[in-house]
């Protein structure tokens, strides 16, 4: 199965769900909520499934305010992500806007463990309407860091030049012909879209996401971060020494 899967934390407010659905057009939606809001979530999900033509499920966190709450949140979040991974979707993302701060923090930690990107829907200022492309803040996965950190320096410099040297109309854009100058295959651009580094505009043109710009600037300006990430992802763990 192809497509996008979303896991969204949910409390009383639901506005962020609609914004997320408009932004990502998922094939499958999982709502992660507490026992207090489970019945409401199921009713709302039934409506959204018809309205947005998607599949969906509700995963319930038991005893949200107990001493074991963190374990319950972690377990249900990982189960939700694993459920979507078994569906073999192209992309899985976790939204942490709804619910309690505790729920958001633990769910984000679970997403990091599962190497799933996290996003947050911010509240627009004043009377402004919500704009999905503007009001959703994406946070990179560990894979996005490691993939970019392993690229040759000339490729990073090329990416940086796309939002520093190009004119206003083309700022932040990269083309198939651009990356050919550093020997990068066009398919690699499609690969980077899966990690929310790029978004495809047309057959040969891509634009960097906010996440992509932030990661590239960080890695390019601080080579020590690149070395640290590369060493961490390439060095195998030797269990015999860890416990000896």
């Amino acid at each position: 199965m192809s497509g996008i899967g979303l896991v969204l934390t949910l409390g009383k407010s639901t506005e962020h769900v609609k914004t997320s659905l408009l932004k990502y057009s998922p094939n499958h939606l999982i709502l992660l909520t507490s026992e207090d809001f489970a019945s409401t979530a199921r009713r709302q999900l039934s409506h959204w499934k018809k309205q947005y033509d998607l599949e969906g499920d509700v995963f319930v966190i038991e005893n949200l305010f107990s001493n074991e709450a963190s374990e319950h949140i972690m377990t249900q979040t990982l189960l939700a992500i694993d459920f979507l991974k078994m569906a073999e979707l192209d992309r899985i993302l976790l939204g942490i806007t709804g619910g309690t701060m505790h729920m958001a923090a633990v769910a984000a930690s679970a997403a990091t463990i599962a190497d799933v990107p996290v996003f947050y829907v911010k509240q627009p200022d004043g009377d402004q309407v919500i704009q999905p492309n503007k009001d959703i803040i994406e946070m990179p996965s560990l894979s996005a860091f490691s993939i970019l950190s392993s690229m040759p320096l000339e490729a990073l410099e090329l990416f940086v030049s796309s939002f520093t040297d190009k004119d206003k109309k083309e700022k932040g854009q990269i083309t198939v012909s651009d990356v050919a100058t550093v020997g990068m295959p066009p398919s690699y651009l499609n690969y980077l879209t899966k990690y929310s580094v790029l978004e495809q505009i047309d057959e040969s043109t891509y634009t960097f996401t906010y996440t992509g710009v932030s990661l590239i600037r960080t890695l390019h300006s601080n080579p020590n971060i690149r070395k640290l990430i590369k060493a961490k992802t390439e060095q195998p763990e030797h269990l015999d020494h860890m416990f000896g």
Side-chain angles (χ1 to χ4, degrees):
M1 181 179 179
S2 61
I4 294 175
L6 292 186
V7 180
L8 303 181
T9 57
L10 184 71
K12 187 175 182 180
S13 175
T14 62
E15 192 62 38
H16 66 98
V17 177
K18 300 172 189 174
T19 305
S20 303
L21 296 178
L22 289 172
K23 167 72 174 179
Y24 295 109
S25 299
N27 301 77
H28 203 116
L29 169 66
I30 293 180
L31 300 176
L32 190 64
T33 193
S34 66
E35 294 170 294
D36 291 341
F37 295 107
S39 296
T40 303
R42 291 188 180 98
R43 288 196 300 271
Q44 291 169 324
L45 178 61
S46 179
H47 170 70
W48 289 325
K49 286 166 72 172
K50 295 175 183 176
Q51 187 177 10
Y52 293 95
D53 187 26
L54 50 79
E55 298 295 322
D57 296 276
V58 175
F59 280 51
V60 180
I61 301 164
E62 298 179 354
N63 303 317
L64 182 59
F65 298 101
S66 69
N67 292 334
E68 295 79 28
S70 293
E71 180 183 349
H72 294 161
I73 297 167
M74 178 74 71
T75 299
Q76 290 301 310
T77 306
L78 290 174
L79 282 172
I81 292 171
D82 195 44
F83 182 89
L84 294 177
K85 285 186 174 181
M86 287 190 293
E88 298 182 351
L89 296 160
D90 291 330
R91 293 180 69 198
I92 300 170
L93 301 100
L94 170 74
I96 58 169
T97 311
T100 64
M101 292 180 66
H102 184 202
M103 189 189 299
V106 178
S109 298
T112 300
I113 292 169
D115 197 21
V116 166
V118 175
F119 69 91
Y120 178 82
V121 182
K122 71 182 185 74
Q123 195 69 23
D125 297 328
D127 296 325
Q128 293 180 352
V129 297
I130 292 178
Q131 303 175 63
N133 288 330
K134 176 183 176 184
D135 295 327
I136 285 184
I137 301 171
E138 292 184 342
M139 304 164 208
S141 66
L142 290 176
S143 287
F145 274 107
S146 61
I147 289 165
L148 290 176
S149 69
S150 65
M151 289 197 315
L153 182 58
E154 58 266 27
L156 273 180
E157 290 175 341
L158 174 66
F159 282 3
V160 170
S161 70
S162 73
F163 41 82
T164 58
D165 298 345
K166 291 190 175 183
D167 60 35
K168 188 174 181 180
K169 187 177 179 181
E170 296 181 343
K171 191 174 290 292
Q173 294 183 9
I174 196 85
T175 67
V176 169
S177 58
D178 289 336
V179 299
T181 63
V182 294
M184 181 183 291
S187 59
Y188 200 77
L189 297 177
N190 289 327
Y191 180 62
L192 291 177
T193 63
K194 293 184 178 182
Y195 295 93
S196 301
V197 174
L198 293 172
E199 289 180 354
Q200 189 167 9
I201 298 175
D202 57 40
E203 207 170 276
S204 62
T205 309
Y206 299 74
T207 185
F208 285 96
T209 63
Y210 178 81
T211 294
V213 172
S214 300
L215 286 179
I216 289 162
R217 280 182 169 155
T218 299
L219 292 168
H220 185 262
S221 63
N222 193 332
N224 289 327
I225 293 178
R226 292 184 68 220
K227 291 176 183 177
L228 184 64
I229 296 170
K230 189 172 182 179
K232 182 65 178 175
T233 54
E234 289 183 353
Q235 183 176 350
E237 300 287 357
H238 298 289
L239 298 181
D240 53 335
H241 296 304
M242 288 174 64
F243 300 104

